[in-house]
Amino acid sequence: MRPFGGRRGPVRDPLDAGYADPAGEGAAGDAGSGGAGAGAADPGAADPGTDPEAAHRQALVLSEVSAEGAVGLFRVLRRAAAGDEDAAAVPVSALLRAIPGMTLLDAHDFLLRAHIPPPAVAGALTPGQRVALVYVVDGAHVVPQSV
């Protein structure tokens, strides 16, 4: 423990090896940091749920919504309800923001009006939430912004 008013040490980067070691820089911290350092260098090895191919397929789902607008959104919601894993894993807020002309505040407003929590994914929507979202999006006339 340092005395009151003493100098503080440098700020440590959370990605440094041994950051979470409460013992500090001891021999046990050095031995344990080898495995943690390898996991920190390769985030895919630490989390088996991270799949670059799945991320690419989800990006294709978003590009479908971006290309087709509200019709593409309705199609993706239908596929998510039918069990398509790629469409079901995409957050609803990302689907809304993929519609041309949709701003972040518009998407948030639509989620509030449809009673959908912002972190919800398309596969977790109830049938009532899907209908409300389609009704809200279909009733709004979003004009694409020219840049």
Side-chain angles (χ1 to χ4, degrees):
M1 182 175 196
R2 63 178 163 39
F4 180 73
R7 276 187 69 122
R8 217 170 75 176
V11 177
R12 296 180 65 189
D13 187 2
L15 297 178
D16 285 345
Y19 176 77
D21 184 21
E25 294 82 27
D30 293 339
S33 66
D42 186 12
D47 185 15
T50 306
D51 182 16
E53 292 177 6
H56 178 71
R57 291 190 302 266
Q58 290 176 7
L60 290 175
V61 169
L62 290 173
S63 69
E64 177 182 346
V65 175
S66 178
E68 299 179 10
V71 174
L73 172 69
F74 304 154
R75 187 176 297 136
V76 167
L77 289 175
R78 194 176 317 123
R79 283 193 352 229
D84 183 2
E85 294 177 6
D86 298 323
V90 178
V92 180
S93 60
L95 288 171
L96 285 175
R97 284 182 281 154
I99 297 174
M102 181 77 63
T103 65
L104 180 66
L105 293 176
D106 290 337
H108 184 72
D109 186 40
F110 286 0
L111 288 174
L112 289 178
R113 284 198 235 162
H115 300 286
I116 299 173
V121 292
L125 294 180
T126 64
Q129 287 175 326
R130 275 195 308 276
V131 168
L133 185 62
V134 167
Y135 180 77
V136 167
V137 171
D138 199 28
H141 299 288
V142 180
V143 179
Q145 298 174 351
S146 60
V147 195

